[in-house]
Structures are given as C-alpha cells and as structure tokens.
Amino acid sequence: MSYELIERDDGTLIMPTSSDPAAAGHSARGFRRYAVGLDVGGRGEDPSALTIIKAESRPFMTGRGWEQALTAPEYTVVYTETAKLDEAVDVIDWVASILRKLKNWTLTMDATGMGAPLVGLFEQAKVPVNAVTMTAGSSINRKGNRITCSKNVLFENAATCLENGSLRIAHDLPEKEELIRESTSVEFKMTSAGNLTLQGGGRGHHADRFVAMCLALLSETHFAPRNIEVSHLRGYW
C-alpha cells in the first residue's frame, strides 16, 4: 500500500497512514528545503553566481507493521544563474528577488575577498546568511553564522557527493552542461610553500557556478539540522 506525502508549511514531510492507535509512535518526519549558494564576483567580466540545491529526506513504510523510516538525504541542483553586477546593492536585490520565490531556504555565501562587505549588507536587509571564508589547509570551523573552510574540504565534499550519487544535477537544468564543465575543471595545484591545494576553473577560467554549488551543499552536509530550521524573507528593506 502506498501513501501520499504531505509537505507542511515548515518544510517537514509526513506520511499520514491511519488513525489506528497501533500506528502511534511509529511515524517519521522528513524534510524538503532549499540550500542557496552565492559566489560573489568582482567588477567587470567576473560574474556573481547563484546555485540552488533541493535537499530532501522522505518517510517510507519499512514493512514492519506501521513503522516508518527516512530515506538518506538527497541533494539535487535545481537552479543556477550568473549575473554581472558591479554594485553591492544590486547583488543584494538580485539574491533577494530569487529568495522570495522559495520557501524553507538557507543562504550560504563566499565571504572571501569581494564577498566580505556584502555580509553586513545582507544582515542589514534582514536576509539570514552563512558567511564562509575560504582558507588553505584542510579544516572547517564555525562560530555562529561565520564559517572558515578550506577549499580542499569545500571541493572534496562536492566531489564525494557527486561520486556516491547523493548529489545530482537535475536532467532539465538549463545550464547543466556548463555546470558539469566547471565541475570537471577543478584541479590540484602545488603552492610555493609546497602545499597541495584545489583550484576551480583551471587555466585562468572561473568556476563560479561550481563554487556556489559547493557552498550550498556544505550548508546541508555539515551544518543543517535534521529537523527543520529555515528562513523566510520578511521585511526586506
């Protein structure tokens, strides 16, 4: 027997089965939410990139009476877009216009370099944001919404999820081929200090969509709670 999943306003997924008292205590709550990653570009030809990942874990019947369990989290890239925006306020407006169309979202951005000044602007605009500063090495640390994460961890996390199939790119994504090209352009590079690091783009090219995807995925795999804790855009300027 199959049951239709119900998505609540808070993003939880439930499977109503029966009012039979025997079913009490055997239900499981899944989730459906959207992780938004933002890579902030520079002036001129370096665009900003935004990628959205749908994260989902669904309840199902185990076959042992009324018992329910949850599927392993699945991550699907459902949207990506780039924009050449020279003014910081234009980046805020662009991102906010996309967030308005979503429910149950989290925003994670690159706060390295050009992204640093935008963190405060997002906070002034009452747009919750996780700010990730990329570093060398192989560590990741978090204090509140401020995160330091090595490029190695950021990129390897995405590579692992792509390899094991937990991260997929929607088959009908308009810029699917471009995102795949950027993903395959990531390469190892030896620094002058003799450290092995990962770089996106290769041979002078950018990997903006891929970095935005990695940021969105990081928020799910490393920081997202298994219960729903998401944001809605209210009172934006």
Side-chain angles (χ1 to χ4, degrees):
M1 181 181 296
S2 61
Y3 299 93
E4 183 176 354
L5 294 180
I6 294 178
E7 181 180 4
R8 292 175 170 172
D9 289 340
D10 63 359
T12 54
L13 294 176
I14 61 171
M15 178 185 291
T17 53
S18 172
S19 58
D20 191 319
H26 292 277
S27 62
R29 291 197 307 168
F31 61 83
R32 178 180 295 142
R33 58 194 176 216
Y34 295 90
V36 182
L38 172 66
D39 178 48
V40 181
R43 294 180 178 273
E45 294 303 310
D46 184 20
S48 294
L50 183 145
T51 299
I52 301 175
I53 292 177
K54 181 178 72 172
E56 190 172 86
S57 177
R58 301 179 301 277
F60 66 93
M61 302 298 295
T62 66
R64 295 186 290 271
W66 294 104
E67 182 185 60
Q68 296 181 18
L70 294 176
T71 61
E74 296 179 353
Y75 312 111
T76 306
V77 180
V78 294
Y79 184 84
T80 185
E81 181 181 346
T82 60
K84 295 179 181 178
L85 302 167
D86 289 336
E87 301 301 325
V89 66
D90 293 333
V91 177
I92 305 296
D93 288 342
W94 172 56
V95 174
S97 68
I98 294 173
L99 294 178
R100 288 193 196 98
K101 302 173 185 177
L102 302 174
K103 63 178 182 178
N104 308 319
W105 52 265
T106 57
L107 172 63
T108 303
M109 64 171 288
D110 174 17
T112 311
M114 297 297 295
L118 271 70
V119 177
L121 292 177
F122 273 117
E123 292 173 343
Q124 290 176 27
K126 299 181 175 61
V127 179
V129 61
N130 294 320
V132 177
T133 300
M134 298 185 198
T135 63
S138 58
S139 65
I140 180 170
N141 297 283
R142 181 181 189 182
K143 178 181 282 188
N145 71 327
R146 298 311 203 263
I147 299 160
T148 57
C149 178
S150 74
K151 278 189 175 183
N152 293 43
V153 171
L154 187 69
F155 291 175
E156 287 177 354
N157 182 55
T160 298
C161 290
L162 284 168
E163 185 176 348
N164 65 28
S166 59
L167 173 63
R168 297 176 294 179
I169 301 174
H171 67 88
D172 57 348
L173 187 72
E175 299 187 27
K176 180 178 181 178
E177 295 305 317
E178 184 64 21
L179 179 57
I180 292 175
R181 185 198 66 76
E182 291 187 7
S183 301
T184 57
S185 74
V186 175
E187 60 186 24
F188 285 98
K189 181 178 180 180
M190 188 71 70
T191 67
S192 58
N195 297 317
L196 195 63
T197 64
L198 284 168
Q199 287 196 334
R203 294 181 296 280
H205 299 289
H206 294 288
D208 310 292
R209 297 175 186 82
F210 175 70
V211 172
M213 181 189 77
C214 292
L215 290 165
L217 181 65
L218 188 77
S219 72
E220 278 294 325
T221 57
H222 286 66
F223 303 119
R226 287 298 163 245
N227 59 318
I228 299 296
E229 182 178 321
V230 292
S231 300
H232 299 274
L233 199 57
R234 297 188 179 96
Y236 170 66
W237 280 340

